[in-house]
Amino acid sequence: MWTDWVEYWRFRRDQTNMLVDSILLLHRKEGRNVSALDDFRRDYLKTHVHEMPLAERLAGLSVEERLTGVPPEEIRHYRDGLKLGLTGPKKARRAKGTRRAPPEAR
């Protein structure tokens, strides 16, 4: 029963967010002053941005925007590590104590 309420309110929250976004967009198009709502929205997003998947947070940003605030020497260090194969995506490692599957099972 409790899970039914949680799902109901989660659905309602998503609908409410869409509604508020639509209202803000309409007010902007009409040239109305929505600075208080903009301030609220900005503060809300700052508070909840960690809940968004990384891909969504980075969507629409250029490479330059992604690297804003990263010191040039750190970028060079990372780039040099990529060239040498020292940096980059890591392979998934098995948990300690687990065994590798036999060749016929792979």
Side-chain angles (χ1 to χ4, degrees):
M1 183 168 157
W2 171 251
T3 56
D4 294 338
W5 277 102
V6 170
E7 288 303 314
Y8 172 77
W9 286 109
R10 184 175 293 139
F11 174 75
R12 298 286 290 188
R13 181 192 66 203
D14 293 342
Q15 285 187 333
T16 302
N17 289 343
M18 288 188 307
L19 178 63
V20 170
D21 286 341
S22 299
I23 291 170
L24 286 172
L25 183 62
L26 179 65
H27 280 275
R28 281 193 190 104
K29 284 182 180 178
E30 294 177 358
R32 294 185 187 176
N33 182 5
V34 290
S35 61
L37 286 175
D38 286 339
D39 292 343
F40 169 78
R41 187 169 196 269
R42 184 181 57 249
D43 293 342
Y44 177 85
L45 290 174
K46 281 182 183 179
T47 305
H48 295 86
V49 70
H50 67 278
E51 297 172 8
M52 295 173 59
L54 181 61
E56 287 183 25
R57 287 186 266 165
L58 297 176
L61 294 178
S62 67
V63 173
E64 292 80 13
E65 290 171 320
R66 291 180 187 191
L67 294 174
T68 300
V70 179
E73 54 276 357
E74 191 173 333
I75 295 170
R76 278 192 290 280
H77 178 74
Y78 184 77
R79 184 194 62 212
D80 294 344
L82 283 175
K83 286 180 183 176
L84 297 173
L86 302 174
T87 314
K90 305 280 188 227
K91 284 186 175 181
R93 301 187 81 200
R94 288 190 315 268
K96 199 172 194 175
T98 59
R99 295 176 45 186
R100 189 174 199 178
E104 62 275 0
R106 284 188 242 157

